[in-house]
Amino acid sequence: MISKVKWMSVWLMAGWTAIACAQQAVPPAAIGPMNGGLKISLQQYEGTVVQRSLPFRNGNVLADGINVWQLDWKMKPAADGTIDVALGCRLLKGKATATALVVDFVFGDWREDNYVLVPGIVYNGNRYRAIGNGYSPQYPKDMYFNPGAPLTISNNPRLALPGESNSFLELQSTNTAAPGMSFYAPATGQSWFVLMEQQTRLGNNGISIIENQQRDTCTFRITAPAMRTRAAGFGDFHASGDKAPDWSAGDEVVLRFKISGRKSDGIPGHLRHFMDIRKSVTGPNAPRNLVPMSKLAQLGTDICRGNFTETKAGKFYLPENSRHFQLGWVSGMINTFPMLALNDPLERSRVAEELDFIVSKMQGKSGYFYGFISEDGKLGTEKAHPDFPELQAMVRKNGDVLFWLMKHLLLLKAQGHGSTINPQWETAAQRLAAAFVKTWKAHGEFGQYIVPETGDVAVFNSSAGAIVPAGLALAADYFRRPDWLAVAGDAAGFYYRRDVEQRGFNSGACGDISQDADSETAFGFMESLMAMYRYTGKAIWLERAKAQAALCASWTLAYDPVFPPGSAIAKLGGRMAGAVWASSQNKHAAPGVCTSSADHLFKLFRATGDRHFADLLRDIQHAHTEAVNMPGHITTNYLIGSSMERIQPSDAEGAGAIGNFIHTRNSWTETNGILMAMEIPGIYVRPGEGLLYVFDHVKAEKLAEDKSSVTLRLTNTTPYDAAVSIFAENARQARTAMGYTQFMQWPKVSVPSGGATNVKINSNGNIQMLSDR
């Protein structure tokens, strides 16, 4: 028997009351102290409409005419207060049609200000004004030039705003980054999670959250299988097509889940709680070594090299699959960085030509840049409204421009090519930084869309400027402007308090969504927090980065989803843990972070020693490689080394899209693959300290270690030769925050395909090749 104290600690949670309607189930004896908070029932359907609900009222047996059902409970409490449950349900005799198993967790004393999280799709209950009925809806007039406009999302699954009726949302387990749901209660400081497996033998599980009309009771529901009325699409809904199974005598289903409740220090604590347990039900994933990072970099830069072109507008590397040019976000002035890192005279000259084109053709009078220009040289607008004819641009793109332009300048100097820097590039960077500072001082935020001609904020109230503090911090150091660093700190503090501590998400940086929660903004803000740590050395930024990394993890597949047997990913044996969900509107995962190496996660791991952050980054890199088009591993059906942005575990695009790639390519996924191969070390090691982490697609076996060195055997089982970068240092050196060109200093070790190499690595970073004997 589980003690009443332990049940109370998980379920009643310091004054919270778990309740059930009187007519509902009386659970097994061991769950009695929960005051009926857990309710088990069977539901019978016609299509997806419930016709009958059959609660287990008196223990573990339910008799319904000639049908007799039995529950079988296996529960394992842990010292940390979590409880692992395996709930079996068997039809002992009879026959039942269209019947699903339902598990309800019902909470009373519910409040609408509780933070509700379903990783990868629902943040703060998505309880915001919604617009449109489809992909990337147009903004209404009241959102323009209006600082008081409410945060507005697309038509996503969401709990209702106060005063609205029918507050519920319904999902399938594959809509999530980690199957489960949770809430944080500010009134009591309590955090509660239920995590589950993706599916049972009946198929994918269902997730529902249902508030009553008075909003003082909320039910968190698991169904086996999923039985949604509507499935969520990209800003709209369609008939789910879900079907409840028929049962014969002897049929059984086992539903496995974990309950976890504890005190948390606000929403950041709730997110860290998730980080701790995100893989605890689905289990550790098993990433495959497919293609060495050096091979990916070579293939990706070869593709980009072949995409340099000249148009009437100017000379640049083609972004995406168009001859028009986009700046920042998914292409321009990001894909140039790895080409510059090649330190090749031809590519360096090409990068210079693109930078000349950008600063001469795309910067507005205010200092802000336009985000689009056609191949004919015509500037374009973004998110415009007929009543406001001024050309607008994404704040996100401008944040990218400042951050990446500064990285270009730093890299050129680190390469010894500082004399090739065009003074106009530095002037453009200073003008852009000054524009951001002016906007901050005027409005206390950077907005979502701006007017490059005037500098006016066109649309307010998103996190689109989340990466701006990073760019300002780099510019402040480069141009010796401490006042800019102060603004960067003020802005980063504001976005952390408003978006992380109060809202529990970052939003609105993608160019094709509304102000929905999205992963790109989350990772962009992570960049800013680590930049503030880099340039101030203050521990507060590191602490905030830990919570932000947990938020980033909530967007990242924690496990290897099961895909339909006939799908492309299933046929390839794809292991997609680490794929990054796009946004609560765009319900698909992608290979990597748009557009970044996410090396800020490595920097956080290096500074803290917490392997959660390294594991997250390794998963992201390996999932990216799973999506790369290679001989014998066809994904895009396009160029070798190409990739595209869809990894689809859900039916948001229809059942036929699940597990299937689209036969095209996306420049940004190729770019972030190159960046990961370049800015993340293949192996990180602290000789003599026992710390070793492998990011690359090789195995590292420790042969010997003493106080100042470690000897490793590196084995390459892939079909491609590897040049593995090695970053070796000691704990004292790791206390100094990493810069933005550190990767240039990492030596590379050759490991042939199917072969092995022995190396001795000293704490000073020197590497000695050894005989294989």
Side-chain angles (χ1 to χ4, degrees):
M1 181 72 68
I2 300 173
S3 73
K4 181 172 182 177
V5 172
K6 185 170 290 291
W7 279 113
M8 295 291 280
S9 69
V10 175
W11 283 95
L12 301 187
M13 300 192 302
W16 265 76
T17 306
I19 70 166
C21 300
Q23 73 272 20
Q24 293 283 339
V26 177
I31 304 179
M34 290 191 304
N35 193 29
L38 179 64
K39 305 184 300 180
I40 313 299
S41 62
L42 299 168
Q43 288 187 342
Q44 295 182 328
Y45 294 82
E46 182 175 323
T48 56
V49 178
V50 176
Q51 301 299 305
R52 298 178 67 211
S53 183
L54 306 171
F56 282 82
R57 297 180 186 278
N58 300 301
N60 294 336
V61 177
L62 167 64
D64 175 42
I66 63 170
N67 294 340
V68 179
W69 304 80
Q70 184 174 46
L71 299 179
D72 177 40
W73 292 87
K74 291 182 175 61
M75 291 173 285
K76 183 179 179 182
D80 63 359
T82 63
I83 302 171
D84 289 303
V85 179
L87 172 61
C89 180
R90 179 189 295 269
L91 180 60
L92 296 180
K93 63 178 182 178
K95 193 169 186 176
T97 59
T99 303
L101 174 66
V102 177
V103 178
D104 285 338
F105 307 89
V106 188
F107 293 92
D109 294 342
W110 183 256
R111 292 172 51 149
E112 289 178 296
D113 65 351
N114 291 337
Y115 173 75
V116 174
L117 168 69
V118 181
I121 188 167
V122 177
Y123 291 80
N124 208 13
N126 289 350
R127 205 192 296 267
Y128 296 94
R129 178 174 77 158
I131 57 173
N133 192 37
Y135 175 77
S136 191
Q138 291 299 308
Y139 282 176
K141 183 178 179 178
D142 69 353
M143 289 184 67
Y144 288 90
F145 303 97
N146 178 12
L151 188 148
T152 302
I153 65 174
S154 302
N155 186 17
N156 303 320
R158 61 193 182 275
L159 298 178
L161 289 167
E164 297 178 347
S165 60
N166 299 324
S167 182
F168 74 97
L169 57 88
E170 51 184 1
L171 305 165
Q172 196 178 81
S173 56
T174 53
N175 286 121
T176 70
M181 47 191 162
S182 68
F183 68 88
Y184 168 72
T188 60
Q190 295 293 342
S191 176
W192 180 86
F193 278 87
V194 60
L195 298 177
M196 70 205 73
E197 293 181 328
Q198 173 190 336
Q199 56 185 211
T200 69
R201 73 168 188 85
L202 302 178
N204 292 331
N205 292 322
I207 292 172
S208 299
I209 302 174
I210 309 154
E211 293 181 316
N212 68 349
Q213 290 292 325
Q214 293 75 32
R215 304 290 196 272
D216 58 7
T217 301
C218 188
T219 299
F220 290 73
R221 172 173 293 172
I222 305 172
T223 59
M227 287 303 300
R228 302 158 297 168
T229 304
R230 302 186 303 163
F234 284 23
D236 58 8
F237 295 85
H238 55 270
S240 71
D242 291 344
K243 188 177 187 306
D246 296 335
W247 299 65
S248 298
D251 286 347
E252 182 181 21
V253 65
V254 179
L255 179 63
R256 293 178 175 85
F257 54 90
K258 176 190 287 285
I259 307 162
S260 181
R262 69 186 186 196
K263 278 278 189 180
S264 288
D265 56 339
I267 292 174
H270 186 74
L271 296 169
R272 290 193 296 269
H273 182 182
F274 168 74
M275 187 78 162
D276 291 341
I277 65 174
R278 60 192 284 262
K279 297 188 179 188
S280 60
V281 174
T282 51
N285 54 294
R288 302 190 293 182
N289 289 335
L290 296 178
V291 185
M293 292 161 70
S294 57
K295 182 66 175 178
L296 286 177
Q298 175 249 307
L299 292 170
T301 51
D302 283 352
I303 291 173
C304 192
R305 191 191 306 268
N307 280 336
F308 191 77
T309 192
E310 181 175 2
T311 69
K312 290 181 181 179
K315 297 179 181 180
F316 49 82
Y317 296 94
L318 288 173
E320 299 304 298
N321 299 308
S322 167
R323 290 182 60 82
H324 304 309
F325 184 82
Q326 275 202 83
L327 185 56
W329 185 29
V330 293
S331 46
M333 208 185 283
I334 302 177
N335 56 0
T336 47
F337 187 73
M339 302 310 290
L340 186 62
L342 293 174
N343 209 11
D344 173 90
L346 174 60
E347 298 309 320
R348 185 164 53 252
S349 68
R350 288 174 164 182
V351 170
E353 288 180 309
E354 178 167 321
L355 295 182
D356 286 344
F357 150 67
I358 291 170
V359 301
S360 65
K361 296 289 184 67
M362 300 190 70
Q363 192 167 29
K365 289 182 180 179
S366 69
Y368 285 117
F369 283 78
Y370 295 91
F372 172 88
I373 189 170
S374 72
E375 63 172 318
D376 295 328
K378 183 178 180 180
L379 293 169
T381 193
E382 296 169 313
K383 215 67 170 183
H385 188 278
D387 289 355
F388 305 104
E390 301 97 332
L391 298 184
Q392 298 174 27
M394 290 165 56
V395 169
R396 152 69 181 284
K397 287 186 174 183
N398 277 271
D400 285 343
V401 170
L402 183 59
F403 176 70
W404 286 98
L405 181 51
M406 296 313 307
K407 286 184 67 171
H408 281 69
L409 300 178
L410 292 174
L411 181 56
L412 281 166
K413 289 193 171 185
Q415 290 174 329
H417 302 303
S419 62
T420 67
I421 293 174
N422 184 339
Q424 292 180 359
W425 304 343
E426 294 180 321
T427 299
Q430 290 175 296
R431 290 183 62 208
L432 178 56
F436 275 123
V437 169
K438 182 178 179 180
T439 298
W440 174 260
K441 290 181 176 179
H443 300 291
E445 67 161 289
F446 297 120
Q448 185 181 21
Y449 291 91
I450 48 88
V451 180
E453 181 71 12
T454 62
D456 293 337
V457 177
V459 179
F460 289 84
N461 200 20
S462 82
S463 320
I467 199 172
V468 174
L472 282 175
L474 269 70
D477 182 71
Y478 186 93
F479 295 112
R480 302 293 183 263
R481 293 291 303 265
D483 55 323
W484 290 357
L485 184 62
V487 170
D490 289 346
F494 163 76
Y495 283 114
Y496 184 80
R497 290 187 296 273
R498 187 195 68 178
D499 297 339
V500 183
E501 291 184 332
Q502 298 173 21
R503 292 177 176 172
F505 63 92
N506 314 99
S507 69
C510 310
D512 60 344
I513 65 173
S514 301
Q515 295 176 333
D516 309 77
D518 74 279
S519 64
E520 298 177 28
T521 324
F523 283 95
F525 190 50
M526 182 73 193
E527 190 78 72
S528 286
L529 294 173
M530 291 308 294
M532 292 306 303
Y533 176 66
R534 165 81 173 87
Y535 289 109
T536 70
K538 294 182 178 179
I540 187 174
W541 298 115
L542 207 58
E543 289 304 308
R544 289 172 171 175
K546 292 176 185 178
Q548 186 65 24
L551 180 54
C552 292
S554 77
W555 287 104
T556 309
L557 277 172
Y559 71 110
D560 295 319
V562 177
F563 291 94
S567 66
I569 295 177
K571 289 178 179 178
L572 292 172
R575 300 176 186 176
M576 291 304 185
V580 181
W581 286 94
S583 66
S584 56
Q585 176 195 270
N586 294 354
K587 299 166 183 67
H588 70 85
V593 175
C594 184
T595 301
S596 167
S597 67
D599 65 333
H600 38 65
L601 291 172
F602 170 70
K603 294 173 182 178
L604 184 59
F605 161 62
R606 176 178 175 266
T608 63
D610 189 334
R611 294 176 70 94
H612 279 112
F613 309 126
D615 291 346
L616 177 60
L617 183 56
R618 177 210 57 192
D619 285 354
I620 292 170
Q621 196 285 327
H622 278 67
H624 176 276
T625 307
E626 291 276 358
V628 175
N629 195 66
M630 297 296 291
H633 188 91
I634 301 301
T635 59
T636 67
N637 201 30
Y638 206 78
L639 301 171
I640 296 300
S642 64
S643 56
M644 60 80 55
E645 65 183 8
R646 297 290 174 84
I647 296 172
Q648 184 54 280
S650 83
D651 59 359
E653 300 172 89
I658 303 173
N660 288 317
F661 298 103
I662 298 174
H663 290 167
T664 185
R665 59 173 286 272
N666 291 102
S667 174
W668 76 262
T669 62
E670 294 158 6
T671 299
N672 69 32
I674 306 167
L675 291 170
M676 284 189 282
M678 185 175 73
E679 295 185 316
I680 302 167
I683 294 175
Y684 178 68
V685 60
R686 293 187 193 169
E689 299 177 19
L691 195 159
L692 170 68
Y693 201 96
V694 180
F695 292 97
D696 210 338
H697 291 236
V698 295
K699 296 178 181 178
E701 177 188 1
K702 190 182 296 184
L703 301 180
E705 187 169 17
D706 57 31
K707 292 183 179 180
S708 60
S709 67
V710 63
T711 301
L712 303 177
R713 182 173 180 81
L714 308 182
T715 304
N716 177 8
T717 60
T718 77
Y720 311 98
D721 294 341
V724 182
S725 60
I726 297 180
F727 181 12
E729 63 176 350
N730 57 41
R732 177 185 57 80
Q733 293 168 319
R735 287 194 288 271
T736 300
M738 202 173 101
Y740 293 90
T741 59
Q742 185 96 36
F743 62 88
M744 294 176 56
Q745 303 172 19
W746 300 335
K748 289 183 168 61
V749 172
S750 296
V751 188
S753 170
T757 300
N758 292 348
V759 294
K760 183 177 182 179
I761 307 169
N762 297 312
S763 56
N764 62 7
N766 290 336
I767 294 177
Q768 179 184 356
M769 308 298 294
L770 302 177
S771 168
D772 288 348
R773 295 181 180 178

